[in-house]
């Protein structure tokens, strides 16, 4: 009898533990842990890259993570992810949130939830100066981009005769362009501009005004983490209202930054 009661208590305890592990909303998990783990890029300036002076990962995406962690009253930890690894890392529970130049779209939203749009850009091409006037100049050529990106899919549609070479990240694709192995690198304009701005031989390259898609960025969270998603969305709207979102934008893209670009969006609630 004693054994049966013991066994029942044991089973009940196991069920309770399993319940908290599997059913807890990330909001509670993060609060209990005292830290939030953000999956970010580490070689995509100005969104996420290693600051050569401090050796820390910094950037627009990291500043959004930091603001959300501060609002939650927890420490921020960042973990580098790639375009291909970010969704598996989130789904497997290795990170709490994706803040990694990630476009929100219906296909991805089948697997994860997205916040309101916190950045807006569009897909373009980085090429050797004077080589490309229109999209037709690129069809049939080799084009570099990153694995697991929307850039890869959009390029296949826009340039059906081209060979799309997918690298782990965009600096590798840019290296292939510099070595003459591809005719262009394609991804979001702001990522291309960030790579271009940091290139030592930047006068040899340009981004022609050829845009093949709109790319609205969302913060990625596990499906069904309603409390966390609501909290993050609420924080984003507050950041827009208080001017903090614009302040982060101006730090990386304002007139005094390396990449002056007008802010063509505001953070608003999704319909
Ligand atoms: N924003 C696009 C995407 O989410 C391209 C940039 C990236 O690879 O992160 O796929």
């Amino acid at each position: 009898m004693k054994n049966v009661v013991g066994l029942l208590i044991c089973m009940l305890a196991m069920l309770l533990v399993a319940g908290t592990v599997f059913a807890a909303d990330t909001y509670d998990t993060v609060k209990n842990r005292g830290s939030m783990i953000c999956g970010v890029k580490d070689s995509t300036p100005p969104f996420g890259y290693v600051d050569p002076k401090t050796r820390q990962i910094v950037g627009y995406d990291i500043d959004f993570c930091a603001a959300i962690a501060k609002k939650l009253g927890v420490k921020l930890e960042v973990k580098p992810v790639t375009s291909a690894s970010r969704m598996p890392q989130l789904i497997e529970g290795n990170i709490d949130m994706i803040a990694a130049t990630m476009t929100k779209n219906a296909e991805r939203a089948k697997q994860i939830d997205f916040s309101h749009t916190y950045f807006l850009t569009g897909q373009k091409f980085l090429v050797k100066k004077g080589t490309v006037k229109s999209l037709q100049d690129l069809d049939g050529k080799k084009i570099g981009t990153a694995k697991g990106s929307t850039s890869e899919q959009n390029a296949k549609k826009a340039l059906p005769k081209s060979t799309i070479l997918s690298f782990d990240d965009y600096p590798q694709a840019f290296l292939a362009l510099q070595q003459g192995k591809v005719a262009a690198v394609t991804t979001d304009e702001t990522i291309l501009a960030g790579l271009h701005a940091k290139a030592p031989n930047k006068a040899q390259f340009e981004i022609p005004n050829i845009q093949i898609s709109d790319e609205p960025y969302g913060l990625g969270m596990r499906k069904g983490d309603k409390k966390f998603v609501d909290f993050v969305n609420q924080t984003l709207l507050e950041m827009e209202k208080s001017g903090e979102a614009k302040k982060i934008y101006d730090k990386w893209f304002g007139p005094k930054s390396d990449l002056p670009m007008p802010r063509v969006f505001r953070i608003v609630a999704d319909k």
Side-chain angles (χ1 to χ4, degrees):
M1 184 62 192
K2 224 172 159 189
N3 276 351
V4 176
V5 173
L7 195 69
L8 279 175
I9 291 174
C10 226
M11 279 166 69
L12 197 68
M14 273 163 71
L15 276 175
L16 277 175
V17 170
T20 14
V21 170
F22 296 115
D25 192 289
T26 298
Y27 179 90
D28 300 309
T29 312
V30 160
K31 280 278 211 186
N32 291 338
R33 195 197 300 128
S35 69
M36 177 176 85
I37 310 166
C38 239
V40 302
K41 296 285 184 84
D42 67 357
S43 53
T44 310
F47 293 95
Y49 66 100
V50 179
D51 181 327
K53 282 191 211 113
T54 63
R55 307 305 302 159
Q56 301 286 320
I57 303 178
V58 296
Y60 182 89
D61 281 335
I62 288 80
D63 285 354
F64 272 83
C65 291
I68 293 162
K70 190 171 167 212
K71 187 81 205 292
L72 278 162
V74 300
K75 225 175 83 228
L76 172 66
E77 277 179 48
V78 294
K79 264 196 193 167
V81 292
T82 63
S83 300
S85 77
R86 61 195 160 189
M87 283 218 284
Q89 291 277 13
L90 178 72
I91 293 166
E92 283 162 26
N94 299 329
I95 54 176
D96 299 311
M97 187 168 86
I98 300 171
T101 66
M102 188 170 196
T103 298
K104 307 157 62 159
N105 63 27
E107 198 192 323
R108 288 172 174 173
K110 285 182 199 152
Q111 284 180 272
I112 64 170
D113 282 343
F114 283 107
S115 70
H116 302 322
T117 300
Y118 72 104
F119 191 82
L120 180 66
T121 178
Q123 184 169 341
K124 291 196 174 178
F125 299 86
L126 177 61
V127 299
K128 280 243 165 80
K129 217 173 220 165
T131 58
V132 175
K133 296 272 168 295
S134 72
L135 196 58
Q136 282 68 43
D137 294 334
L138 287 168
D139 212 5
K141 300 267 170 65
K142 286 191 183 131
I143 312 288
T145 187
K147 265 182 227 142
S149 63
T150 50
S151 320
E152 196 180 26
Q153 295 172 8
N154 297 333
K156 281 181 188 157
K157 270 184 228 138
L159 299 166
K161 294 197 215 100
S162 288
T163 307
I164 311 299
L165 299 179
S166 295
F167 298 85
D168 284 332
D169 60 30
Y170 297 105
Q172 287 178 33
F174 188 32
L175 192 65
L177 175 66
Q178 285 167 309
Q179 293 170 340
K181 293 182 181 155
V182 295
V185 179
T186 188
T187 186
D188 305 335
E189 178 181 13
T190 30
I191 296 179
L192 295 176
L195 284 175
H196 190 206
K198 292 226 183 294
N201 48 353
K202 65 170 169 239
Q204 296 172 25
F205 300 94
E206 65 181 353
I207 302 170
N209 194 15
I210 305 167
Q211 180 164 331
I212 60 169
S213 70
D214 286 332
E215 303 291 324
Y217 289 1
L219 302 168
M221 286 161 279
R222 271 178 289 276
K223 248 208 162 345
D225 264 358
K226 191 172 176 336
K227 199 167 161 190
F228 192 45
V229 175
D230 287 350
F231 178 86
V232 167
N233 276 336
Q234 188 56 38
T235 305
L236 289 177
L237 295 177
E238 280 168 25
M239 287 170 72
E240 181 65 47
K241 208 166 161 209
S242 69
E244 196 179 349
K246 184 174 179 302
K247 210 161 127 201
I248 297 175
Y249 186 91
D250 284 346
K251 177 171 161 193
W252 302 102
F253 300 100
K256 287 195 210 119
S257 72
D258 284 351
L259 282 179
M261 288 190 186
R263 190 171 189 249
V264 292
F265 71 100
R266 278 170 58 83
I267 299 172
V268 293
D270 282 346
K271 277 168 213 115

